[in-house]
Amino acid sequence: MNQSIIRLTREISELNKTSDLSIAVACRDADVRNVRAVILGPPDTPYEFGFFEFSMKFGRDYPAKAPAVIALSTNSGRTRFNPNIYAGGKVCLSILGTWRGERGEEWSSAQGLESILISIQSLMSSNPYENEPGFENANQEHDKENKKAYVLKIRHETLRITVIARLEEYLGINADGTLQPSPAPPDLESSEDGDTSLADLEGSILFEPFKDLCKRRFLWYYDSYMTSITAERPKVTDGQVFVRMPFEHSGNTMEGRFYYTELERRIKLVRERLDKETENWAAEGAIMAQRESGVAANLQRQYEQTVEYYKKSDSVTLDIELVDKNPFLWRVTYFGRPMTNLDGGLFNIEIAFSPRFPIEHPRARFRTPFYHYRVTSDGVPCYTVTKTDEGRAHIDAIIHLMEEENGPYDPRTQVNQEASKLYWGTPEQKREYNRKLRRSVQASMDYA
């Protein structure tokens, strides 16, 4: 095997094993040289929690030579998201050889897939206007207004293009709220054992490796998106034209108008549609269970094994049952551990499994109140898991989230904004956080 393929395969594998919430990569098994990547817009920037996708083509001379990188999140070539990320997809970076840099900034074989993606992510700063070469020599007074105007339009288009339009496409929604004609789904009962393999599914649909990832992250960050819309709307008026930057020119610009009222309507519809999709999993799964499909049998077996595992466990007390005897919908009842902030609590968590599990990850939701900085205001837990095809691994990850004390600060996991501000605030704010947590623990008993 070519040495470049060996190295690239290793780099992709290592990236996929990490719990990095900012970067994900994928490729077809038979086409490892053509990599797709998605970068999550960094917190506290106008790119915050946007989904920016890139295509990366690695030659046979990799790592001696850098890959060719093309930005895909450009609104079909109409939107330039950064002075260094063009509407046509060009990414200007010295390590890629697409921009002149200082000595030592050019490509070397010591660099690789991860360093490229981190370099691109570094362009998505809180003041991207300053990325333009020659900025330091420009009219500083005039640039103050341009910097503000540039941030305003990037934030709007990040929401509109990389979040809302992307999710609308995934969910089959037109911008006006109507539904797109649904393509015929792959036959879930087509093979001899009643299942469609991963290879069969990938061959029958477009290669969309981040479809499920973006849906799950959207549920995590929905409150953040709504908060951003609320905060940004008073700064502009609907219909206000974007300000053109000095470095933008025809064919390589970010043109448009602000319409936050419309964005709010569209993002709420995306959320409704995504919640409905999750609800429909149970109905689809019930049909598959009646047909005794392989996916249903696998989940039934996993459920039984998970129940037995926790019966023998002394470290945690919980009950697990199938809702309406449906192996695609698990209800977990967690009993708060004595002598902790969760003492006396009785928490119900529903885990919905997709008929395409494990291609699509399960979606969990607290059905009882739980005030936590890593649980959204409507109960969606923000967690990561390595063994995505094991139902028990998802339960373990949620329990770890609930019981963790003094976890590391990571703004990408702070999905309850009010709780996060209190938890990471002053000692008095931390006490207020604990009081609200305890009140949610007490309230959980009312739902028992």
Side-chain angles (χ1 to χ4, degrees):
M1 186 182 294
N2 185 284
Q3 290 299 313
S4 66
I5 292 181
I6 294 174
R7 170 161 166 169
L8 187 54
T9 302
R10 184 179 69 249
E11 289 185 305
I12 293 171
S13 176
E14 289 174 351
L15 264 178
N16 285 330
K17 287 178 181 177
T18 70
S19 58
D20 191 329
L21 300 179
S22 297
I23 296 170
V25 294
C27 66
R28 293 185 185 274
D29 290 341
D31 195 15
V32 72
R33 294 189 189 279
N34 287 291
V35 177
R36 294 271 285 277
V38 68
I39 295 175
L40 189 73
D44 301 320
T45 74
Y47 304 94
E48 184 171 59
F49 302 143
F51 304 110
F52 295 89
E53 192 165 349
F54 298 84
S55 170
M56 311 175 74
K57 186 173 181 61
F58 293 80
R60 292 182 177 276
D61 48 4
Y62 176 78
K65 185 178 179 181
V69 179
I70 299 294
L72 301 179
S73 303
T74 62
N75 193 23
S76 299
R78 296 189 293 270
T79 302
R80 180 181 184 177
F81 264 105
N82 189 280
N84 294 58
I85 303 176
Y86 292 179
K90 181 179 180 181
V91 179
C92 292
L93 278 175
S94 56
I95 66 168
L96 296 178
T98 50
W99 191 257
R100 60 186 182 276
E102 301 295 330
R103 185 175 179 82
E105 294 180 349
E106 63 275 4
W107 176 261
S108 77
S109 58
Q111 294 163 332
L113 176 58
E114 184 175 19
S115 62
I116 293 170
L117 296 175
I118 291 173
S119 295
I120 296 173
Q121 188 181 50
S122 70
L123 298 174
M124 302 176 188
S125 64
S126 57
N127 288 306
Y129 186 84
E130 298 178 0
N131 291 347
E132 173 61 13
F135 162 78
E136 62 278 2
N137 300 320
N139 184 320
Q140 296 297 314
E141 195 60 38
H142 178 64
D143 280 346
K144 286 182 181 179
E145 295 305 314
N146 277 339
K147 282 197 293 185
K148 293 178 183 178
Y150 198 40
V151 164
L152 285 174
K153 68 179 185 177
I154 288 176
R155 195 180 300 277
H156 184 276
E157 295 300 83
T158 291
L159 283 167
R160 185 178 73 88
I161 296 170
T162 77
V163 178
I164 297 174
R166 176 182 285 267
L167 268 293
E168 285 174 340
E169 181 180 354
Y170 287 161
L171 294 166
I173 307 172
N174 295 312
D176 62 1
T178 59
L179 299 181
Q180 300 170 5
S182 300
D187 185 359
L188 295 174
E189 303 298 331
S190 60
S191 62
E192 293 182 2
D193 63 356
D195 279 312
T196 299
S197 69
L198 174 59
D200 292 334
L201 273 176
E202 286 189 340
S204 64
I205 59 177
L206 291 173
F207 184 52
E208 296 177 328
F210 309 116
K211 188 173 183 177
D212 182 58
L213 179 150
C214 292
K215 287 181 179 181
R216 288 182 286 112
R217 300 288 178 82
F218 177 89
L219 293 173
W220 290 359
Y221 302 128
Y222 176 73
D223 286 349
S224 296
Y225 299 141
M226 291 299 295
T227 298
S228 180
I229 290 174
T230 300
E232 296 300 308
R233 189 185 349 227
K235 300 177 183 178
V236 296
T237 57
D238 279 353
Q240 180 179 327
V241 179
F242 293 167
V243 175
R244 176 175 283 200
M245 299 295 106
F247 52 80
E248 294 180 334
H249 55 81
S250 181
N252 192 20
T253 184
M254 177 183 276
E255 296 180 342
R257 297 173 183 266
F258 294 98
Y259 285 107
Y260 273 110
T261 301
E262 178 69 3
L263 293 192
E264 182 177 35
R265 180 193 66 79
R266 289 170 63 184
I267 201 168
K268 286 180 177 179
L269 183 60
V270 167
R271 178 59 194 266
E272 291 173 8
R273 186 72 178 170
L274 192 52
D275 286 342
K276 186 65 175 178
E277 179 184 76
T278 307
E279 291 176 12
N280 289 342
W281 283 359
E284 294 177 57
I287 295 173
M288 294 179 67
Q290 289 176 357
R291 297 177 179 177
E292 299 181 345
S293 78
V295 176
N298 174 36
L299 285 171
Q300 180 69 40
R301 182 170 59 253
Q302 286 204 31
Y303 162 73
E304 294 168 356
Q305 292 173 344
T306 301
V307 169
E308 288 302 312
Y309 171 81
Y310 283 114
K311 279 182 179 179
K312 299 175 182 177
S313 174
D314 296 327
S315 61
V316 64
T317 303
L318 55 80
D319 288 334
I320 309 174
E321 60 181 339
L322 300 181
V323 178
D324 297 328
K325 299 182 180 180
N326 188 341
F328 290 82
L329 189 58
W330 299 11
R331 179 180 292 128
V332 178
T333 302
Y334 169 87
F335 299 84
R337 195 187 299 273
M339 307 300 291
T340 70
N341 277 333
L342 306 182
D343 191 357
L346 192 62
F347 303 95
N348 284 330
I349 307 149
E350 282 190 359
I351 303 178
F353 290 85
S354 165
R356 289 151 293 279
F357 174 79
I359 297 171
E360 292 177 314
H361 291 203
R363 297 174 189 165
R365 195 162 187 173
F366 281 82
R367 294 303 181 184
T368 49
F370 186 47
Y371 189 81
H372 195 283
Y373 61 91
R374 289 185 61 180
V375 178
T376 67
S377 59
D378 58 353
V380 178
C382 172
Y383 70 92
T384 57
V385 59
T386 53
K387 297 181 179 179
T388 58
D389 59 343
E390 293 184 9
R392 196 188 89 197
H394 290 269
I395 296 175
D396 286 342
I398 294 170
I399 293 172
H400 176 74
L401 176 158
M402 297 175 70
E403 296 183 345
E404 183 180 51
E405 295 183 5
N406 303 317
Y409 175 75
D410 186 342
R412 298 165 301 181
T413 64
Q414 317 300 308
V415 294
N416 185 318
Q417 295 183 335
E418 180 194 85
S420 178
K421 289 178 182 177
L422 293 178
Y423 186 86
W424 301 103
T426 65
E428 177 54 38
Q429 288 175 316
K430 182 64 176 291
R431 286 191 287 271
E432 176 62 17
Y433 172 87
N434 287 328
R435 283 192 289 268
K436 291 195 172 191
L437 171 59
R438 284 298 304 164
R439 281 197 288 271
S440 73
V441 171
Q442 294 163 5
S444 72
M445 294 295 295
D446 297 334
Y447 289 76

